Amino acid sequence: MSTYYPRYDEIHFALNVWSEMPGLQALPGLEGQSADIVSAVIDEAGRFASQVLAPLDTIGDREGAYIKDGRVCLPEGWGSAYNKFVEAQWNTVHFPEVIGGQGFATPVSVAVSEMFNSANISFSLGLMPFSGVVSLLAAYGTERQKRVYLPALVSGRWTATLAITEPQAGTDLGAIKTKAEKDAAGYRIKGTKCFITYGDHDMAENIVHFVLARGPENVAGVKGLSLYVVSKFEVDDEGEIGSRNDVQCISLEKKIGVRASPTATMAFGDEQGAVGELLGEENRGLAHMFLVLNRARLNIAVFGLASAENAYQAALSYAQERIQGSDRNGRPCAIIEHPDVRRMLQDMRASTDAMRAIAYYTAGVAERAQREPDELLRSMYKKRLDLLTPIAKGWVTENGFLAASTGVQVAGGAGYLEESRASQYFRDARVHTIYEGTTGVQSMDLVLRKVMRDEGESALLLLNSMLQEVLAYQHHDSVRDEVALLSDAIARLKDATEWILGQGDAQRERLEAISAHYLNFWGTVLGAWLLIKGVVASTATESDLSLANAFVDNKKSAMRYFLVHRLMPACSLKDVIVQGASSITCAKF
Ligand SMILES: Cc1cc2nc3c(=O)[nH]c(=O)nc-3n(C[C@H](O)[C@H](O)[C@H](O)COP(=O)(O)OP(=O)(O)OC[C@H]3O[C@@H](n4cnc5c(N)ncnc54)[C@H](O)[C@@H]3O)c2cc1C
């Protein structure tokens, strides 16, 4: 049976130091969220994750979601866990109080998600669409839509999907063919959507699909897309469920990972057309979706972090138990004694630390982007969030997968066996770099939109403030050597950024070719900066974090490892970025 140990010490540290919760608690609307209240939520979420969700993780992987007698079923225990999730009101944690939520700050909901995702990725994927669809309804819904759908979705009584992908339209949303026609009932939706997470299941009484489809005017490309609400069961004005709508799951994908998360091909309107309601304005569907993009991508970054944490926990316990070879004195020893195994474990630990740092830092910035009372400051944080989001999504998920792969290596042949924990984490982690925009999409978003379109303003502002902060640490005993390394890396990343800014639109192909390297460079520099910040905070004499000595020592050693083994090699990326495009663009296949 799978186990998960919530890392309370790491999570509290991340909230305090990287999300800067004490500062956030002073912002308007968050005054009531004292450290004690946040702590109680974290403790309870950890218990739910380890006691209710984690025990289902292995069963989920073995049984998977399946279709029986035309119904999509989830593995044993899933329905009951979901009922407990709704009863305990976990879904409401991060929604604003005015719509029935508990109004916790983004970093707190990231902490809860980290634990739920780590305990059971397949289960937590079902919760993923909630934050997006609730925000869309709250922002663009009619009075009726808000009355009918919001309470059921905020509470989690009904679940939701984001139904975007079609066989011919993955990254290229302009190719979407699903069509909405106007009629007396509102709209009739017809088309096929594929890869729809929790498209159908037996856990909740209703499923509300948020469908991106081409509006009645049939405008080509992304400018012709509108958002429609399509409920599995028709719903009256009081929110009572009626007859079945014309929407069916026609098959489930067989996947290498997240097997208990039903990934459905959905037919909308095979008969008379599925009844749908327009959400927001016609032909503004994609523009509306941008409202929830940053949050959705941060959510996936937290899945990447969870995969790394799981893999590290499993690898550590395996390495402590597996006896192989002998130590310096010739005595049989556990493999954790061997330097190369220690290298792998340290790489997993240090990179997981950096992933957590980036995710929680981004969450803190997201909160400031909403709540900073000063308009200029709020706008600066909004731009910073836009810059950080593709880095967090791309870097954390890629490194989450790397950590899971290293976890398989630590376990040797046993890790390669289908039923091993290491193998499940490896298979599960693979998908995070694909959905919600592939790493390629994040990289191009970073270079072409977040840096070029902004003329480098946010990127250079953040780099300069990182440099200033780091230089202020140069007399700090615990980080003196690393300050020099990081200052050099920041200077190189600035050079790479300026080189990118010097390229015109005509060089777009070249920029796309090196964009993944640029994202990787950013993620590594950000991680290094935040790890140094973490060591400075953990060793500060006036610190009231009350950290155990072993915790502080681990923070120092992970930071040192990351700076030497990850940041040093990443510095060469500046030259790769400047010189590397042509060997890609000129390659013949
Ligand atoms: C388990 C799972 C769950 C999913 N859940 C959902 C869901 O709930 N709802 C939903 O709507 N979708 C969902 N998806 C679909 C997911 O969002 C898509 O798989 C993703 O957007 C990529 O599209 P694609 O698979 O068609 O790949 P493609 O678009 O065919 O891309 C293939 C490769 O080409 C690259 N590429 C494509 N276009 C470009 C370009 N212009 N420039 C550079 N590189 C490019 C990509 O980066 C990628 O590496 C899910 C997918 C999976 C695997």
Side-chain angles (χ1 to χ4, degrees):
M1 191 172 71
S2 47
T3 46
Y4 162 65
Y5 301 101
R7 298 299 312 271
Y8 295 117
D9 50 358
E10 294 287 358
I11 288 171
H12 283 295
F13 184 79
L15 284 171
N16 280 309
V17 174
W18 292 316
S19 300
E20 299 180 0
M21 271 304 281
L24 296 181
Q25 278 150 344
L27 290 175
L30 295 180
E31 304 90 344
Q33 288 181 29
S34 67
D36 288 349
I37 293 177
V38 169
S39 201
V41 172
I42 304 294
D43 284 356
E44 209 41 56
R47 255 193 294 280
F48 189 82
S50 55
Q51 292 173 12
V52 179
L53 301 182
L56 297 175
D57 196 34
T58 309
I59 306 165
D61 187 51
R62 305 235 166 109
E63 280 185 29
Y66 57 95
I67 298 185
K68 190 175 174 198
D69 301 330
R71 288 182 55 209
V72 175
C73 307
L74 294 176
E76 206 182 325
W78 237 247
S80 139
Y82 190 74
N83 288 341
K84 288 181 190 159
F85 168 83
V86 177
E87 271 164 31
Q89 300 186 23
W90 282 117
N91 209 42
T92 65
V93 167
H94 60 288
F95 295 128
E97 285 166 280
V98 283
I99 56 167
Q102 300 181 54
F104 278 99
T106 313
V108 179
S109 76
V110 160
V112 171
S113 298
E114 179 191 332
M115 291 187 273
F116 288 4
N117 298 354
S118 300
N120 192 326
I121 288 178
S122 284
F123 182 93
S124 304
L125 277 175
L127 318 176
M128 244 292 294
F130 280 119
S131 65
V133 303
V134 164
S135 306
L136 286 169
L137 275 171
Y140 304 115
T142 59
E143 282 312 307
R144 179 188 180 279
Q145 286 169 338
K146 287 181 185 164
R147 190 176 64 246
V148 166
Y149 296 112
L150 265 184
L153 290 172
V154 169
S155 67
R157 197 158 46 79
W158 298 348
T159 65
T161 76
L162 277 168
I164 298 169
T165 307
E166 297 180 9
Q168 77 297 341
T171 302
D172 181 8
L173 300 182
I176 283 178
K177 287 186 188 157
T178 296
K179 184 89 186 60
E181 296 288 356
K182 229 173 183 159
D183 81 351
Y187 292 83
R188 294 279 174 179
I189 316 294
K190 291 191 177 184
T192 302
K193 294 284 181 185
C194 59
F195 285 116
I196 306 309
T197 298
Y198 280 76
D200 204 4
H201 57 81
D202 57 359
M203 281 191 330
E205 59 184 4
N206 194 18
I207 303 170
V208 189
H209 305 281
F210 288 71
V211 182
L212 205 56
R214 203 158 293 288
E217 291 168 20
N218 217 9
V219 177
V222 291
K223 290 192 173 144
L225 299 175
S226 307
L227 262 178
Y228 299 92
V229 180
V230 181
S231 176
K232 176 175 175 180
F233 292 96
E234 289 179 19
V235 180
D236 71 15
D237 287 349
E238 305 314 314
E240 292 297 318
I241 287 177
S243 53
R244 188 71 202 251
N245 202 350
D246 185 9
V247 47
Q248 312 287 340
C249 164
I250 47 180
S251 63
L252 289 185
E253 303 299 346
K254 290 210 177 308
K255 312 189 295 299
I256 59 169
V258 293
R259 290 175 172 162
S261 162
T263 306
T265 300
M266 303 293 299
F268 289 86
D270 261 2
E271 292 166 15
Q272 68 280 24
V275 175
E277 301 169 39
L278 179 68
L279 178 63
E281 283 179 55
E282 216 148 65
N283 297 335
R284 303 258 313 141
L286 200 61
H288 293 342
M289 292 288 294
F290 272 100
L291 176 81
V292 297
L293 213 61
N294 281 342
R295 184 55 206 259
R297 290 181 170 171
L298 174 60
N299 285 345
I300 301 292
V302 180
F303 275 101
L305 160 64
S307 286
E309 177 62 44
N310 283 338
Y312 174 66
Q313 289 196 13
L316 181 63
S317 81
Y318 187 87
Q320 285 164 335
E321 283 162 21
R322 169 76 174 162
I323 307 292
Q324 204 65 194
S326 42
D327 63 16
R328 273 198 220 150
N329 303 317
R331 279 191 295 262
C333 69
I335 59 170
I336 198 167
E337 301 299 330
H338 301 309
D340 188 58
V341 175
R342 299 174 80 80
R343 172 190 64 78
M344 292 189 276
L345 290 171
Q346 183 72 322
D347 194 70
M348 293 173 83
R349 177 164 65 183
S351 63
T352 305
D353 242 14
M355 289 176 229
R356 186 174 282 111
I358 291 175
Y360 282 73
Y361 174 67
T362 307
V365 170
E367 202 55 39
R368 290 190 184 276
Q370 276 182 59
R371 293 188 193 267
E372 272 295 344
D374 181 81
E375 203 180 323
L376 275 180
L377 213 49
R378 204 166 57 242
S379 150
M380 187 277 284
Y381 278 115
K382 168 77 180 68
K383 285 185 177 177
R384 182 164 295 179
L385 176 64
D386 289 343
L387 174 79
L388 290 171
T389 298
I391 303 170
K393 202 284 180 181
W395 196 87
V396 174
T397 60
E398 288 288 343
N399 281 277
F401 175 66
L402 267 183
S405 176
T406 306
V408 172
Q409 194 71 14
V410 169
Y416 196 65
L417 300 181
E418 174 100 15
E419 70 268 18
S420 73
R421 287 169 67 199
S423 135
Q424 186 190 342
Y425 298 146
F426 173 70
R427 289 181 286 103
D428 285 355
R430 193 64 194 87
V431 73
H432 308 319
T433 64
I434 295 173
Y435 47 27
E436 206 52 63
T438 59
T439 307
V441 169
Q442 306 306 320
S443 307
M444 291 185 295
D445 180 43
L446 175 65
V447 171
L448 302 175
R449 283 207 199 89
K450 307 302 168 53
V451 172
M452 297 276 283
R453 224 181 262 177
D454 181 51
E455 295 177 349
E457 188 190 319
S458 302
L460 294 173
L461 185 66
L462 179 55
L463 287 171
N464 286 336
S465 68
M466 281 159 69
L467 188 59
Q468 255 180 10
E469 186 182 316
V470 168
L471 291 177
Y473 299 149
Q474 62 191 323
H475 302 299
H476 199 291
D477 284 347
S478 307
V479 298
R480 192 177 297 121
D481 296 343
E482 289 77 15
V483 163
L485 261 177
L486 180 56
S487 310
D488 177 49
I490 293 174
R492 285 167 185 259
L493 182 52
K494 267 177 81 173
D495 288 349
T497 304
E498 273 152 10
W499 178 83
I500 285 174
L501 290 168
Q503 309 296 303
D505 259 0
Q507 303 299 326
R508 189 186 162 114
E509 204 187 338
R510 291 168 65 80
L511 292 176
E512 287 187 19
I514 52 78
S515 60
H517 292 310
Y518 184 66
L519 183 144
N520 187 11
F521 199 2
W522 253 110
T524 313
V525 168
L526 264 180
W529 169 57
L530 292 166
L531 293 191
I532 288 186
K533 210 175 158 76
V535 168
V536 170
S538 67
T539 51
T541 40
E542 74 280 13
S543 164
D544 53 5
L545 293 169
S546 14
L547 303 167
N549 289 342
F551 183 90
V552 177
D553 289 345
N554 285 341
K555 282 275 157 288
K556 285 186 201 163
S557 90
M559 180 275 291
R560 283 183 186 136
Y561 175 92
F562 193 84
L563 271 279
V564 173
H565 294 256
R566 291 295 199 102
L567 187 68
M568 261 192 192
C571 283
S572 64
L573 285 172
K574 185 228 139 186
D575 296 325
V576 178
I577 289 163
V578 172
Q579 297 169 33
S582 57
S583 59
I584 299 170
T585 53
C586 298
K588 305 252 186 290
F589 295 105

